[in-house]
Amino acid sequence: MKALGLILAGGNNHRMQELSSKRAIAAMPIGGSYRCIDFALSNMSNSHIQTVAVLTQYNARSLNEHLSSSKWWDFGRKQGGLYTFTPTVTADNSWWYRGTADAMYQNIDFLKKRHEPYVIITGGDCVYKLDYNKVLDYHIEKKADITVVCKDMPEGADISRFGVIRMNEESRITEFEEKPMVSSSNTISTGIYIIRRRQLIEMLERSGQEDRWDFVTDILIRYKNMKRIYGYKMEDYWSNIATVDSYYNTNMDFLKPEVRNYFFRETPHIYSKVDDYPPAKYNAGSDVKNSLISSGCIINSKIENSVLFKNVFVGKNCVIKNSIILNDVYIGDNTHIENCIVESRGTLKANTYYCGDDGVKVVLERNDRYAL
């Protein structure tokens, strides 16, 4: 592949509420067995991109642990490798990443030492499949300076947290609004970009000299009328998980057969770090309908339209409906959970009731177990 990959996985926002208080958004569990960043990494690997750098910052410990070995995504160091970069105090700089452009600028030496002509930039907070080779071929065919992967959102979707673009008949971007409250266009940027490596270095150096630190507002929008910026429309499934509702809905999408088959069975596959848990165990009294139950779980009760991540214990006479239970949760007997996201490594005591009556409820309970 004639490109290297950059995954921007250092940001955080308050729309995830307590879910991002102890982990990066890119490390959020997805679909029972994955982390969100697995989708970007797998797309890189499946597109034969051999060198990938992940830029982490906020609550990076669990994410860095997940990325501790490149073998899960087949990034061999002899061919390139998987690199993890966090902000580093140097004689010249003591800043954390001040924005997406600054994150790349602080690691500009890595870009300068590489030889690949192109760079693929993406975030770590989206669930999708994409062959970056097709986007690169499109980029070269259009003789573009920058290519932005975009997607048409359905009617009524909240686009106020995305960049909204308009293109002419040649797919050249003519307007780019960053997170507008109201827009007549429903075409959004997915946060995936292709740009020539040397041009990216030049833009980052100029932005750094001018104290401009955001890639979208200080590079894309600023250079919109100076550079040839094109849009590449993505037709398949794509979801950004960076709010509680979108995170919940994305996991619930995996209960749909077409989405589940698309990610779990159809090639190319999505890869992740493997934990050696035993298969899920269903004891007498278990009744599971339209749910994902991950390895290591022990089920003794009724579960419906829910996603249970790894190593979850469900006691007797419980009811779990329309809920997401994250890793290593102990649920005591006679517990009712509905329309909730239960945070990992918690204990829900027996004879308790949790229900998200006005939307999705995030359940946080202290883990007072010594052993399971």
Side-chain angles (χ1 to χ4, degrees):
M1 182 81 178
K2 298 182 293 185
L4 63 90
L6 288 181
I7 300 178
L8 306 177
N12 179 48
N13 65 58
H14 299 293
R15 295 188 297 267
M16 290 295 286
Q17 300 178 24
E18 297 91 344
L19 292 173
S20 61
S21 64
K22 65 179 184 181
R23 66 169 74 82
I25 294 175
M28 287 298 301
I30 295 289
S33 300
Y34 300 98
R35 301 278 187 148
C36 192
I37 198 171
D38 290 333
F39 295 86
L41 289 170
S42 298
N43 290 328
M44 295 283 182
S45 178
N46 293 330
S47 300
H48 306 291
I49 298 173
Q50 297 174 329
T51 303
V52 176
V54 182
L55 311 186
T56 68
Q57 176 168 271
Y58 176 82
N59 269 346
R61 187 180 68 176
S62 64
L63 182 57
N64 290 339
E65 289 175 355
H66 186 68
L67 302 174
S68 60
S69 175
S70 63
K71 67 179 183 180
W72 307 112
W73 305 275
D74 196 26
F75 294 118
R77 274 291 172 95
K78 287 187 177 180
Q79 292 77 34
L82 177 63
Y83 299 84
T84 304
F85 297 136
T86 54
T88 304
V89 176
T90 67
D92 302 320
N93 178 65
S94 59
W95 293 98
W96 279 51
Y97 298 151
R98 289 163 284 182
T100 49
D102 187 41
M104 292 183 280
Y105 178 70
Q106 289 195 31
N107 296 287
I108 202 167
D109 286 344
F110 173 76
L111 292 172
K112 290 180 176 180
K113 291 176 181 178
R114 300 307 305 174
H115 61 275
E116 294 87 349
Y118 297 97
V119 180
I120 296 174
I121 304 169
T122 183
D125 58 355
C126 297
V127 174
Y128 65 102
K129 280 185 181 180
L130 182 63
D131 185 351
Y132 297 128
N133 293 289
K134 294 181 179 179
V135 188
L136 182 57
D137 290 342
Y138 175 89
H139 177 85
I140 295 172
E141 177 188 342
K142 289 289 188 179
K143 298 180 180 178
D145 293 310
I146 305 174
T147 295
V148 181
V149 178
C150 55
K151 185 172 180 62
D152 291 334
M153 298 297 283
E155 192 73 26
D158 179 18
I159 61 173
S160 63
R161 60 192 182 96
F162 302 111
V164 179
I165 65 177
R166 293 181 183 85
M167 299 181 288
N168 60 21
E169 61 278 1
E170 297 179 351
S171 296
R172 184 168 179 174
I173 295 176
T174 56
E175 293 185 45
F176 198 125
E177 298 177 277
E178 177 66 349
K179 301 177 181 178
M181 293 300 296
V182 179
S183 178
S184 58
S185 173
N186 69 333
T187 303
I188 65 159
S189 165
T190 62
I192 305 167
Y193 316 102
I194 290 185
I195 183 173
R196 186 172 286 276
R197 181 175 58 87
R198 292 187 180 276
Q199 186 169 79
L200 176 62
I201 291 171
E202 292 174 3
M203 290 179 168
L204 292 175
E205 288 181 333
R206 179 169 180 177
S207 294
Q209 292 170 359
E210 298 173 350
D211 290 336
R212 298 176 181 269
W213 309 121
D214 187 80
F215 184 76
V216 173
T217 57
D218 295 327
I219 291 181
L220 281 183
I221 295 177
R222 194 164 180 237
Y223 284 90
K224 173 173 57 68
N225 297 321
M226 297 175 58
K227 301 293 183 180
R228 293 170 57 87
I229 304 179
Y230 283 83
Y232 175 95
K233 280 203 175 180
M234 182 179 181
E235 304 295 338
D236 295 321
Y237 184 95
W238 177 90
S239 177
N240 180 283
I241 68 160
T243 69
V244 168
D245 286 339
S246 62
Y247 176 71
Y248 176 86
N249 292 331
T250 300
N251 277 287
M252 287 299 169
D253 282 345
F254 278 84
L255 299 180
K256 301 175 182 177
E258 64 274 15
V259 175
R260 192 164 59 247
N261 291 337
Y262 177 64
F263 285 107
F264 290 170
R265 297 182 179 178
E266 295 179 13
T267 57
H269 298 297
I270 303 299
Y271 310 102
S272 182
K273 181 180 178 180
V274 176
D275 293 314
D276 293 327
Y277 289 119
K281 182 181 180 182
Y282 302 89
N283 292 327
S286 61
D287 180 13
V288 179
K289 297 178 181 178
N290 191 38
S291 298
L292 281 178
I293 310 296
S294 302
S295 56
C297 292
I298 299 176
I299 310 300
N300 295 282
S301 297
K302 182 178 180 180
I303 300 173
E304 184 177 345
N305 298 326
S306 297
V307 180
L308 273 63
F309 286 81
K310 299 174 184 177
N311 206 31
V312 173
F313 178 89
V314 180
K316 297 178 180 179
N317 302 316
C318 297
V319 175
I320 300 175
K321 289 184 178 180
N322 309 318
S323 295
I324 299 168
I325 315 297
L326 299 185
N327 301 306
D328 299 301
V329 172
Y330 179 92
I331 300 174
D333 298 344
N334 307 308
T335 300
H336 186 106
I337 305 170
E338 191 166 351
N339 302 326
C340 292
I341 301 174
V342 180
E343 180 58 291
S344 62
R345 295 177 176 83
T347 296
L348 305 190
K349 295 181 180 180
N351 306 306
T352 51
Y353 181 86
Y354 304 90
C355 183
D357 295 320
D358 300 320
V360 185
K361 178 180 180 180
V362 178
V363 178
L364 300 174
E365 294 291 350
R366 183 174 62 87
N367 188 347
D368 53 7
R369 292 171 290 146
Y370 290 99
L372 241 186

